[in-house]
Amino acid sequence: MALEMNSQLGSIDISKEVVATVAGGAATDVYGIVGMASQKQIKDGISELLKRDNFSRGVVIREFDDDLHIDMYIIVSYGTKISEVAYNVQTKVKYQLEQMLGLTVESVNIFVQGVRVSNP
């Protein structure tokens, strides 16, 4: 599956994997984010912190009636205000996708899967 954009010069197909990678990279740059959570292990109630090379994991791209919806599964750092971190992720992901890929994002839904306590 790919997202298709049409212009005067032709069409551009952008893979959902590319969109997920850009969104995951933007999210991990936000202060308070420890990493992305694996969505496969949600059933077990266990969140696995994914390494930086797995930006696309923890990101689900959905397309309904030409509207783009993104679900992000994240792990936040202990001591941060979760609502503020989630808002910053939503804002940054939406901005990066609009600037880098020219996509209009309808919604960015955040699912906090865990809180990680760092060692002092």
Side-chain angles (χ1 to χ4, degrees):
M1 288 293 257
L3 303 173
E4 184 175 338
M5 299 169 46
N6 294 316
S7 69
Q8 296 174 342
L9 302 175
S11 66
I12 301 169
D13 290 333
I14 300 174
S15 166
K16 287 186 178 182
E17 183 72 20
V18 171
V19 177
T21 302
V22 171
T28 56
D29 283 345
V30 173
Y31 176 78
I33 294 287
V34 176
M36 305 300 292
S38 175
Q39 50 198 325
K40 292 180 181 176
Q41 296 182 354
I42 293 172
K43 295 177 189 173
D44 300 332
I46 301 170
S47 297
E48 178 185 348
L49 182 66
L50 301 171
K51 296 180 182 175
R52 286 202 162 264
D53 58 345
N54 294 325
F55 284 143
S56 63
R57 291 192 185 169
V59 180
V60 177
I61 308 295
R62 296 180 290 124
E63 189 176 11
F64 295 112
D65 299 331
D66 294 332
D67 291 333
L68 190 63
H69 302 273
I70 299 174
D71 296 336
M72 304 194 75
Y73 298 87
I74 62 173
I75 298 173
V76 298
S77 176
Y78 178 79
T80 58
K81 187 173 182 179
I82 293 174
S83 61
E84 192 69 28
V85 172
Y87 176 77
N88 290 338
V89 170
Q90 290 172 319
T91 305
K92 183 149 188 175
V93 166
K94 190 170 183 173
Y95 175 79
Q96 288 291 330
L97 289 176
E98 288 175 359
Q99 292 298 313
M100 291 180 70
L101 303 176
L103 296 174
T104 302
V105 178
E106 186 67 24
S107 67
V108 178
N109 303 312
I110 305 295
F111 300 92
V112 179
Q113 295 296 313
V115 176
R116 171 96 15 138
V117 178
S118 61
N119 293 331

